Amino acid sequence: MRRKLVVANWKMHGSRSRNRQLLDAIKPALQSFDDRVDIAVCPAHLHLSEVISELAGSNIRPGAQNLFGLAEGAMTGEISASMLMDCGAEFVIVGHSERRGKLGEADVQVAEKFAAASESGLTPILCVGETGEERDAGKTEAVVSRQLDAVTNRVGINPMRGAVIAYEPVWAIGSGTPATPAQAQAMHAMLRGRLARRDGEIADAVRILYGGSMNAANAAELFAQPDIDGGLVGGASLKAEEFITICAIASS
Ligand code: PGA
């Protein structure tokens, strides 16, 4: 039985005081779900150290939203896996569609980032997902498979042990319209099946999150699907009550 994981992706939102307010609101409520669900928050890099201090003693684990795929070097403005580890991060989102689509991140870079994260001991959260156009053209499975294979071809199957995958259809992100539970389940099962061709045990253990307009009203039917192991939550994670409710559903 895979334990559910709910990850807040704060994206480019927040300030030191707003982060504190949000954490003060969610920390006590989430404490009671401690042994039934894993919870993480991913603030902006700039806020990570302070958020990590504020998370001390809570059951919320810290994550980052991005990293660079090299250990160190002349890369102005970038942040490495070891820097994230050093400051106390445990998770890192890799290959979010906003970075693939708006910042031109290619599969090969995503694979380098995944490799750097898992080699350093961070838990990568690998995002995959098709655009609306790709879905309409019947390319969903091909696109998502290509995104997954780019990583497994680079790192092999073993680093997928303990890693997290997030299926996030691009058309569902921030749109208010999530994938239907059946659409999401079909893709989650496809991803797990693809991993199972290489290693059944790893495929069975890997947690596959759904992301894209998840909120307190739709989380239950998504979490009820057999291959949906939690959520990567954007907009709804910025509202304390919404996020607490999503975590409560995941823990039940
Ligand atoms: P959303 O974002 O929940 O606001 O749709 C999810 C994500 O992009 O990770």
Side-chain angles (χ1 to χ4, degrees), residues 83-196:
M83 291 172 183
L84 294 176
M85 285 292 285
D86 186 39
C87 108
E90 296 180 40
F91 293 90
V92 62
I93 297 171
V94 171
H96 191 282
S97 64
E98 285 151 13
R99 302 198 58 84
R100 293 179 188 263
K102 297 179 193 170
L103 297 163
E105 227 171 71
D107 287 339
V108 56
Q109 286 166 284
V110 175
E112 290 305 323
K113 290 179 181 212
F114 187 101
S118 68
E119 278 160 21
S120 73
L122 288 163
T123 298
I125 302 172
L126 170 65
C127 297
V128 297
E130 80 288 0
T131 64
E133 273 171 24
E134 288 163 342
R135 176 164 282 265
D136 292 345
K139 293 184 185 156
T140 300
E141 190 168 328
V143 168
V144 172
S145 300
R146 189 202 73 223
Q147 293 170 336
L148 177 66
D149 292 355
V151 171
T152 51
N153 290 341
R154 165 68 178 78
V155 300
I157 190 68
N158 279 329
M160 299 308 294
R161 192 187 299 276
V164 175
I165 297 175
Y167 170 59
E168 297 207 306
V170 180
W171 48 272
I173 293 175
S175 70
T177 307
T180 65
Q183 283 172 326
Q185 166 58 26
M187 292 310 296
H188 284 229
M190 191 285 287
L191 286 162
R192 201 180 302 287
R194 207 159 177 89
L195 293 174

Side-chain angles (χ1 to χ4, degrees), residues 189-228:
M190 191 285 287
L191 286 162
R192 201 180 302 287
R194 207 159 177 89
L195 293 174
R197 287 195 219 156
R198 298 198 186 202
D199 189 309
E201 193 204 323
I202 290 176
D204 203 40
V206 76
R207 289 189 284 194
I208 307 180
L209 314 183
Y210 169 78
S213 296
M214 179 178 275
N215 60 33
N218 59 38
E221 54 179 9
L222 288 160
F223 290 158
Q225 303 302 310
D227 287 293
I228 298 185

Side-chain angles (χ1 to χ4, degrees), residues 40-63:
V41 295
C42 302
H45 279 146
L46 188 62
H47 295 148
L48 193 53
S49 281
E50 190 162 327
V51 164
I52 287 173
S53 304
E54 277 152 19
L55 293 180
S58 83
N59 60 329
I60 307 173
R61 296 155 71 188

